[in-house]
Amino acid sequence: MKKQNPIYVKTEIETTMDELWKYTQDPKIHTEWDARFTEISYLEKNEGEPQHFLYKTKIGFGLEIAGEGESIGELQKEGGERISSLKFWTDSKLSLISVGRGYWKYKPNENKVRFKTQYDYETRFGGIGRFIDSYIFRPLLGWATAWSFDALKLWLEKGFHPRLLLKRAITYYLICFLLSFVWIYQGLIPKILYTHPEEVQMLSKLIGSENYAAAMIKMVGFLEIVFGVIWLLPFQKQKLFFLHTFIILILTAAAGFTNIASFMQLFNPITLNIILIGLSIIGYMNSNNLPQAKNCKRSRKE
């Protein structure tokens, strides 16, 4: 298996050097924005010795990984550039990482600071560990680092606390998943797999003919599945929430035109579609200023 490239993330933040240094070097503030750590605490430092620290990361189900680290050097260059190097390790058998090294670099650029990190580590569990690291763990860790950098950027530039951003992001992605499920289910079950007679009747009234109505229902079902998949794609969906609200309003009007009696049934188009519109509004309200890993550079070639 080929050697893995180090994890590299770079962003540019509109802030001062001192402010960014405080937000990244103060352990209490650091854990507020960095998704990789739950707790960081400095140990007592003796003169002439590197700064040692402890860190913890909760991984769920009451389990956590605890490790140690040390700042092995800090350098301030001419022009205001700063570099902070560190080494970290853990004896926890739950951790894929055994020992690693990395650095943070801060370079002033007019009223902004170019902030980047690069780090690499050795893994446990032999070939299995290297396989998991290559295809699962390292990509996720790189994504979490970039996401955290963008959350820090939004915090310093716009005042949005990372905990608020995390809640908004969870709400946003959950709504996208729910809308995706609704559209895929509606296209697959009552249209393609089990063509519902009421669906055929409503479409026949809408187009004024019963010919090919069943075949057209299946085509509509396929389009609904495609629309459901679109909700899972990684792009900014603010305009899509507008479009979705408009589509639901049109479908509600069409349902009333073709079968007004359906509005009297349990779980009828009025109640269900209002819920879908409500989800669209909530999704739209949470779709702006979300941290995204893609906003950061992930390669030196970028």
Side-chain angles (χ1 to χ4, degrees):
M1 187 174 295
K2 68 177 182 179
K3 179 177 174 58
Q4 293 298 313
N5 293 324
I7 293 175
Y8 177 86
V9 177
K10 178 181 177 181
T11 190
E12 195 168 65
I13 303 175
E14 188 174 344
T15 186
T16 65
M17 176 68 75
D18 290 340
E19 191 76 355
L20 181 57
W21 185 265
K22 182 181 75 172
Y23 273 63
T24 55
Q25 297 294 325
D26 185 320
K28 291 184 178 180
I29 301 178
H30 183 179
T31 53
E32 292 289 311
W33 60 267
D34 199 331
R36 298 170 297 174
F37 303 102
T38 306
E39 181 182 329
I40 301 174
S41 56
Y42 283 166
L43 300 178
E44 185 176 349
K45 182 178 182 296
N46 296 321
E47 187 175 352
E49 294 183 355
Q51 175 66 67
H52 288 78
F53 60 88
L54 304 177
Y55 68 86
K56 293 180 181 179
T57 301
K58 293 182 179 179
I59 57 176
F61 305 103
L63 302 175
E64 65 180 20
I65 294 172
E68 302 176 52
E70 63 179 20
S71 298
I72 56 179
E74 293 181 3
L75 177 65
Q76 185 164 352
K77 297 182 178 181
E78 293 183 6
E81 181 178 355
R82 295 183 182 181
I83 302 175
S84 175
S85 303
L86 57 89
K87 178 182 178 181
F88 52 93
W89 63 91
T90 176
D91 295 327
S92 173
K93 300 304 180 183
L94 295 174
S95 175
L96 186 65
I97 297 175
S98 60
V99 61
R101 293 174 177 82
Y103 66 77
W104 285 356
K105 287 187 178 181
Y106 312 71
K107 186 175 183 178
N109 181 32
E110 297 179 350
N111 64 329
K112 298 181 180 181
V113 180
R114 290 175 182 167
F115 179 44
K116 63 182 177 181
T117 186
Q118 179 174 297
Y119 61 96
D120 204 356
Y121 50 83
E122 299 173 12
T123 60
R124 287 190 172 87
F125 315 125
I128 294 177
R130 290 191 294 274
F131 178 85
I132 295 174
D133 179 59
S134 297
Y135 296 100
I136 301 175
F137 185 75
R138 187 174 292 255
L140 286 175
L141 190 58
W143 175 88
T145 304
W147 189 95
S148 298
F149 270 43
D150 202 41
L152 175 62
K153 177 181 173 71
L154 288 169
W155 192 11
L156 286 169
E157 290 186 351
K158 299 188 177 182
F160 297 123
H161 193 281
R163 290 180 182 174
L164 171 63
L165 294 174
L166 180 60
K167 291 179 181 178
R168 289 177 56 184
I170 291 174
T171 301
Y172 171 80
Y173 290 116
L174 178 60
I175 288 175
C176 290
F177 172 78
L178 290 174
L179 293 179
S180 173
F181 172 79
V182 168
W183 282 97
I184 292 175
Y185 184 91
Q186 288 296 323
L188 184 64
I189 303 302
K191 292 184 176 65
I192 294 180
L193 295 182
Y194 307 99
T195 305
H196 199 282
E198 191 170 314
E199 295 272 2
V200 177
Q201 181 184 6
M202 291 175 63
L203 183 60
S204 299
K205 288 186 178 180
L206 194 62
I207 63 177
S209 173
E210 295 184 2
N211 296 330
Y212 310 112
M216 291 182 65
I217 282 292
K218 293 185 181 295
M219 291 178 60
V220 172
F222 174 76
L223 293 176
E224 288 184 350
I225 291 174
V226 171
F227 191 54
V229 172
I230 289 175
W231 285 104
L232 300 177
L233 300 180
F235 67 94
Q236 221 286 345
K237 300 180 179 65
Q238 201 167 37
K239 293 181 179 179
L240 188 60
F241 284 116
F242 268 124
L243 175 62
H244 184 252
T245 300
F246 178 75
I247 290 173
I248 294 300
L249 290 173
I250 294 297
L251 292 177
T252 304
F257 175 76
T258 57
N259 185 11
I260 191 64
S262 66
F263 287 0
M264 311 302 172
Q265 299 174 357
L266 294 173
F267 302 107
N268 59 72
I270 291 290
T271 55
L272 293 178
N273 290 349
I274 285 179
I275 292 174
L276 292 177
I277 291 173
L279 288 175
S280 294
I281 294 172
I282 296 172
Y284 174 83
M285 293 172 63
N286 286 276
S287 63
N288 200 23
N289 290 317
L290 290 179
Q292 297 188 61
K294 68 178 183 180
N295 291 337
C296 298
K297 294 183 178 180
R298 306 283 301 278
S299 169
R300 290 182 174 277
K301 297 179 181 179
E302 295 183 36

